[in-house]
Amino acid sequence: MRLLRRHHHALVCHEEWDYDEARRVATVTGFAVACTECNLVLHFGRAEVNGLGFKAKAHRARINGVNAPEVEREVAEALSTWNVRSGLRWTVAIAPAVVERFPFLEGALDVSLWTQ
């Protein structure tokens, strides 16, 4: 998916993930900057719950040059994948290259360090 490169919207940091469904390991592989409208597309389910699904779909179509039926197909496919994955128990990992670039993430997944 292409992301909007102009900066007339607020920007957010979006985590990028790789999913190994056979091993059930979800790995943070990097971070990307996205405008708030692209973030709606990246988190479509949340956009829909918050009444902004129409805005996310329109932005997806406009930025990527696809028509409404194509966006609907992509959304249905993404939600189907999310439904399957959300029903599974995952181990979360951070890719070594990410830890190397952001050393403060070393040990971030050690749940004994988390506070409530």
Side-chain angles (χ1 to χ4, degrees):
M1 180 180 90
R2 288 178 24 207
L3 296 177
L4 186 63
R5 298 294 178 204
R6 294 179 300 247
H7 303 296
H8 52 262
H9 298 285
L11 300 176
V12 296
C13 181
H14 174 75
E15 69 283 354
E16 297 173 323
W17 294 85
D18 178 65
Y19 296 92
D20 180 338
E21 293 183 8
R23 293 178 40 228
R24 293 191 180 162
V25 176
T27 304
V28 176
T29 58
F31 301 98
V33 175
C35 75
T36 53
E37 287 184 339
C38 286
N39 199 51
L40 289 176
V41 175
L42 293 167
H43 299 282
F44 181 78
R46 185 178 343 144
E48 190 72 15
V49 167
N50 291 326
L52 298 171
F54 69 96
K55 189 174 182 178
K57 289 177 185 177
H59 187 69
R60 172 82 172 105
R62 182 170 48 88
I63 295 304
N64 290 274
V66 295
N67 59 31
E70 178 66 12
V71 171
E72 292 295 336
R73 186 195 62 73
E74 292 171 348
V75 166
E77 185 178 310
L79 290 176
S80 175
T81 299
W82 180 85
N83 279 324
V84 170
R85 288 179 175 167
S86 68
L88 301 174
R89 187 173 180 98
W90 294 87
T91 297
V92 177
I94 301 174
V98 174
V99 174
E100 184 176 317
R101 185 160 183 205
F102 304 100
F104 62 88
L105 293 174
E106 182 75 45
L109 297 179
D110 181 351
V111 294
S112 67
L113 299 176
W114 295 359
T115 58
Q116 300 217 348

